[in-house]
Amino acid sequence: MTRIDTSRPFLPVRIAVMTVSDTRTLETDTSGQALVERIEGAGHVVAARTIERDDVERITTRLLDWIADPEIDVVITNGGTGVTGRDVTPEAFEKVIEKRIEGFGELFRMLSYQKIGTSTIQSRALAGVTGGTYLFALPGSTGAVKDGWDDILVFQLDNRHRPCNFVELMPRLKER
């Protein structure tokens, strides 16, 4: 049930991409690259891209830097959302999130269940908003990144999506 209102002009958003991994490089980061290609293909701007090790403090520091940057509207991470000892992206997000967007993780797992079955229970995908910046944490597999973008984010980050979307709320995110 995705509806794009073509009578409205498209508004590109500036998105930072962080891959969380102890082993990937920009050359081997297929998940991050798939996300970058989708972001640009949808007409948005990749405002920054990095790879951070599975370390809560490093991830938190980068998130806070990007949240403070007025040239970044959205941060999407991939990796570190599993249940192993080194998977710490959700813990880093919890340190910075002001408001959780509960439905994102729930919807991601529901859609993922249709493709990978009960294995989706291992995902701790989540989202929130802080300082007027949206934060989304996806699993690190290329398939999960594609699912998160193609089935959720491409629509919610398009201001023409009806009946509502995250972009039209951006001017109000810092209200008190």
Side-chain angles (χ1 to χ4, degrees):
M1 292 195 345
T2 59
R3 296 186 320 218
I4 300 296
D5 181 353
T6 57
S7 70
R8 297 177 64 157
F10 175 76
L11 300 175
V13 295
R14 298 163 303 212
I15 303 172
V17 175
M18 180 193 313
T19 296
V20 178
S21 174
D22 290 335
T23 59
R24 293 186 190 173
T25 64
L26 285 176
E27 295 77 32
T28 62
D29 182 19
T30 57
S31 298
Q33 187 59 36
L35 191 51
V36 164
E37 290 168 3
R38 280 167 164 68
I39 291 167
E40 292 175 341
H44 298 295
V45 176
V46 176
R49 181 179 178 191
T50 193
I51 297 177
E52 292 292 344
R53 294 181 54 78
D54 293 280
D55 177 274
V56 171
E57 294 310 316
R58 288 180 70 150
I59 298 165
T60 301
T61 298
R62 180 69 68 173
L63 288 172
L64 290 171
D65 287 346
W66 284 349
I67 291 164
D69 186 336
E71 296 301 312
I72 295 175
D73 303 310
V74 176
V75 174
I76 304 174
T77 67
N78 70 94
T81 62
V83 296
T84 72
R86 298 289 298 154
D87 291 323
V88 295
T89 302
E91 287 74 16
F93 269 55
E94 291 299 333
K95 287 180 170 251
V96 301
I97 287 179
E98 293 172 352
K99 291 186 179 185
R100 288 184 62 113
I101 303 171
E102 299 292 346
F104 177 79
E106 296 164 357
L107 179 58
F108 175 83
R109 283 180 286 279
M110 182 194 80
L111 295 167
S112 180
Y113 177 77
Q114 297 169 4
K115 297 176 183 184
I116 65 169
T118 59
S119 295
T120 195
I121 200 167
Q122 296 179 27
S123 167
R124 297 187 298 150
L126 73 147
V129 65
T130 300
T133 303
Y134 287 111
L135 308 170
F136 300 96
L138 293 169
S141 75
T142 303
V145 165
K146 290 176 180 178
D147 293 345
W149 180 265
D150 296 348
D151 296 341
I152 305 170
L153 293 175
V154 71
F155 303 111
Q156 282 299 300
L157 295 178
D158 188 330
N159 66 293
R160 303 167 302 165
H161 181 263
R162 306 301 326 116
C164 57
N165 60 77
F166 286 135
V167 178
E168 62 193 3
L169 297 176
M170 284 179 172
R172 299 182 56 208
L173 291 178
K174 292 184 181 181
E175 288 178 347
R176 294 282 176 220

